[in-house]
Amino acid sequence: MDKTFHDIGIEGLGKVMKEILEMGKPYPVWTFTGDLGAGKTTLIQALGKAIGIQDEISSPTYNYVNEYSEGLYHFDCYRLDSVEQALNLGLEEYIDSGQRCWVEWPEVISSLLPTPSLHIHVGHESADTRTYHLSIH
């Protein structure tokens, strides 16, 4: 199942988030792709608030993973060089935990990701709009 939302500004983000939350309900692992500055972390912050996370959600660029008390692990794999590095950091244990795992820049750890999972691609159309493509992989 695929779904795409075009030319979405801030006022339309609620509709996209509702679809992401519904589509992703059966899958603990969600991946987020898109260019730098496309809005992946911003989307994750909004989704976190929507599911009731009280903590400030920030990108774990230098930690690789942030853990939130509500059972969310947020990964940023941008700086990972290899799947071996991810294994040495213990990322596979998080992914296999059955807890909610949201992964930015998942390409380097794709072999560790379960199937099916929800994939969210954020396209940067303009300064004010984005395209969101949701798919099950």
Side-chain angles (χ1 to χ4, degrees):
M1 174 190 333
D2 287 15
K3 191 162 234 180
T4 302
F5 298 85
H6 294 281
D7 297 317
I8 302 296
I10 194 71
E11 70 285 343
L13 191 56
K15 178 181 177 184
V16 175
M17 288 179 17
K18 181 179 178 189
E19 188 64 33
I20 290 170
L21 292 169
E22 184 62 33
M23 207 170 155
K25 198 179 291 185
Y27 311 106
V29 176
W30 299 359
T31 62
F32 296 79
T33 62
D35 292 335
L36 279 171
K40 297 177 296 296
T41 301
T42 301
L43 176 60
I44 288 171
Q45 290 168 334
L47 288 165
K49 287 194 184 308
I51 64 168
I53 293 180
Q54 301 296 316
D55 299 328
E56 181 69 29
I57 295 176
S58 61
S59 181
T61 301
Y62 297 101
N63 302 336
Y64 297 106
V65 63
N66 286 343
E67 181 177 348
Y68 298 96
S69 58
E70 293 80 2
L72 168 64
Y73 299 114
H74 175 200
F75 299 83
D76 186 327
C77 298
Y78 182 74
R79 295 181 333 111
L80 286 178
D81 295 322
S82 66
V83 71
E84 290 78 22
Q85 185 182 9
L87 291 169
N88 289 337
L89 292 167
L91 298 187
E92 185 177 35
E93 293 172 27
Y94 291 105
I95 291 168
D96 291 342
S97 71
Q99 295 294 310
R100 187 176 280 138
C101 296
W102 294 351
V103 184
E104 293 184 60
W105 303 99
E107 295 81 2
V108 74
I109 66 164
S110 62
S111 64
L112 301 177
L113 300 174
T115 53
S117 58
L118 176 64
H119 177 74
I120 301 143
H121 180 80
V122 182
H124 191 183
E125 292 188 4
S126 73
D128 299 325
T129 63
R130 304 291 185 267
T131 292
Y132 299 90
H133 181 77
L134 317 177
S135 58
I136 305 300
H137 289 203

